[in-house]
Amino acid sequence: MSIDTSSDPALARLTEQVRTAAATGTPLDIRGGCTKRFYGGPARGEPLDVRPLSGISSYEPSELVVTARAGTPLAELEAAVAEKGQCLPFEPPRFAPGGTVGGMVAAGLSGPARAAVGAVRDYVLGATLLNGRGEVLSFGGQVMKNVAGYDVSRLLAGSMGTLGVILEVSLKVLPVAPATATLRFDLDEATALRRLNEWGGQPLPLNASAWWDGTLVVRLRGAAAAVEAAARSLGGERLPDELAQPFWEGLRDQHDEFFAKARAAVQAGACLWRLSVPSVAPPLQLSGEQLIEWGGAQRWWCTSAPASRMREAARAVGGHATLFLAREEDKAGAEVFTPLAPPLERIHRELKRAFDPHGLFNSGRLYPGW
């Protein structure tokens, strides 16, 4: 990792703010582009702005590795790798302009291709972190075989900033696939789930899927010959690229019709839940509107059902439920993420104390009280 701890004014300001906060017991609210402030528990504390810590530190297209500072706009990073015919294959949701690389890793969210290619944490090779003592720590490296501290780097993905301030990350990128095709099928939920699981067990270049309101859409991606052969085998209606690309972009950034309706419903008092379940789980008997992704493993529900009902429905099939979007007054006092079992909670709390002994960073964003 390439951050210079001795001559970087942006890092010096962040370090000084953290050390002052540690001395005074002042909680800190880590901020980037603020595109994901709706996610997780309510933010509190003095703003700690990472945006000045910006820029792509290194990029080796031949090695498929890019290193960027936390405040680097995600759009800038994606544009840089796209120039070399490469991409972030996990398709991080952007929600709105201004999102940063640090926020992408801290939130740990992935887009439509996640079930096929892996999650954010699978592409984090290394990271530099500012801990609660004002110390700069480096973990991992810039190659997959460098495993020293590798798991610590992965811990930051989805940590919601509770372990410290991500300063810089090294990410694996991949070449853009040479061919893509999108197919549409008219299927009920049970049939769509059965087909997705059948296809998932076959050597098909299935990259993404979405079912909503009686329609299943799947995306094939890979070598041209494999994509064409799979398209012929699966059948369905092939969508032209000028329709398919906006559809997947809208799904990735949650601007499509389902999420637009969900946001309107949330303003009226409903909640948007994200249920992570086994892909083979049967249809869930819940009220509201549903969108299914990731081959059946991610099920979005916009509903007014109580939290206990949503969590029990997910638990009954071996999954868990996250309160993804709700009004602030409906979130107050609520647990956004599924409560941890006591052994896991103990491990999480010990990690928090090890990296942030004074409890400075993003208190309550992941779990209430810490």
Side-chain angles (χ1 to χ4, degrees):
M1 310 300 286
S2 58
I3 283 196
D4 184 344
T5 60
S6 63
S7 61
D8 190 312
L11 176 58
R13 286 193 295 271
L14 290 173
T15 303
E16 180 59 29
Q17 187 174 355
V18 169
R19 289 175 177 168
T20 299
T24 60
T26 303
L28 296 172
D29 172 22
I30 305 171
R31 297 185 183 182
C34 295
T35 59
K36 290 175 278 293
R37 289 185 71 76
F38 68 88
Y39 184 54
R44 56 183 289 265
E46 180 181 296
L48 183 70
D49 190 354
V50 302
R51 287 175 298 175
L53 199 67
S54 179
I56 296 174
S57 307
S58 66
Y59 179 30
E60 298 294 339
S62 62
E63 300 295 328
L64 301 176
V65 175
V66 62
T67 300
R69 294 181 163 200
T72 307
L74 181 55
E76 178 182 327
L77 175 63
E78 291 200 288
V81 299
E83 286 184 2
K84 301 297 183 180
Q86 297 175 352
C87 66
L88 299 175
F90 50 89
E91 298 181 307
R94 292 161 296 202
F95 301 113
T100 60
V101 171
M104 172 192 76
V105 175
L109 297 173
S110 303
R114 186 260 182 266
V117 304
V120 179
R121 62 169 45 89
D122 299 311
Y123 291 84
V124 176
L125 300 176
T128 299
L129 181 76
L130 180 62
N131 72 6
R133 297 184 179 89
E135 302 167 335
V136 176
L137 309 175
S138 292
F139 306 99
Q142 295 182 322
V143 293
M144 291 297 287
K145 65 183 179 182
N146 184 348
V147 297
Y150 182 66
D151 287 341
V152 174
S153 301
R154 286 185 163 194
L155 278 177
L156 300 178
S159 67
M160 298 295 289
T162 58
L163 298 181
V165 186
I166 297 172
L167 302 176
E168 187 176 69
V169 292
S170 289
L171 300 163
K172 179 183 179 182
V173 296
L174 291 180
V176 174
T180 298
T182 295
L183 307 176
R184 179 185 181 278
F185 304 83
D186 292 325
L187 298 172
D188 61 61
E189 179 185 356
T191 304
L193 290 172
R194 186 175 67 253
R195 291 275 184 88
L196 287 169
N197 280 284
E198 289 172 355
W199 295 339
Q202 300 174 23
L204 298 169
L206 188 62
N207 177 260
S209 65
W211 180 91
W212 177 46
D213 194 25
T215 298
L216 173 65
V217 181
V218 299
R219 182 173 66 192
L220 305 171
R221 182 168 280 177
V227 167
E228 291 304 317
R232 289 193 299 269
S233 173
L234 296 181
E237 175 192 357
R238 186 159 181 169
L239 300 182
D241 290 344
E242 58 268 24
L243 294 180
Q245 184 172 347
F247 170 80
W248 294 112
E249 290 288 313
L251 195 63
R252 171 185 176 178
D253 295 334
Q254 299 191 357
H255 294 156
D256 73 331
E257 186 178 356
F258 172 83
F259 288 104
K261 287 184 174 181
R263 285 193 296 273
V266 165
Q267 292 305 309
C271 295
L272 179 61
W273 288 85
R274 175 185 175 220
L275 275 62
S276 297
V277 301
S279 63
V280 295
L284 304 178
Q285 302 305 313
L286 295 166
S287 61
E289 193 90 12
Q290 181 186 202
L291 169 71
I292 300 176
E293 291 189 90
W294 299 0
Q298 179 164 260
R299 306 191 190 183
W300 297 95
W301 278 95
C302 184
T303 179
S304 296
S308 58
R309 175 75 180 105
M310 303 306 295
R311 296 203 192 280
E312 173 56 28
R315 187 203 63 77
V317 295
H320 63 271
T322 298
L323 179 56
F324 191 80
L325 182 63
R327 296 182 302 187
E328 287 302 315
E329 57 265 36
D330 295 327
K331 257 190 188 180
E335 291 192 275
V336 172
F337 301 98
T338 297
L340 298 170
L344 286 176
E345 182 177 357
R346 184 170 61 252
I347 293 171
H348 276 247
R349 287 184 178 273
E350 289 174 356
L351 282 168
K352 173 70 171 173
R353 281 194 292 269
F355 286 99
D356 182 19
H358 306 291
L360 304 178
F361 300 124
N362 286 14
S363 177
R365 291 301 302 275
L366 196 55
Y367 293 105
W370 57 284

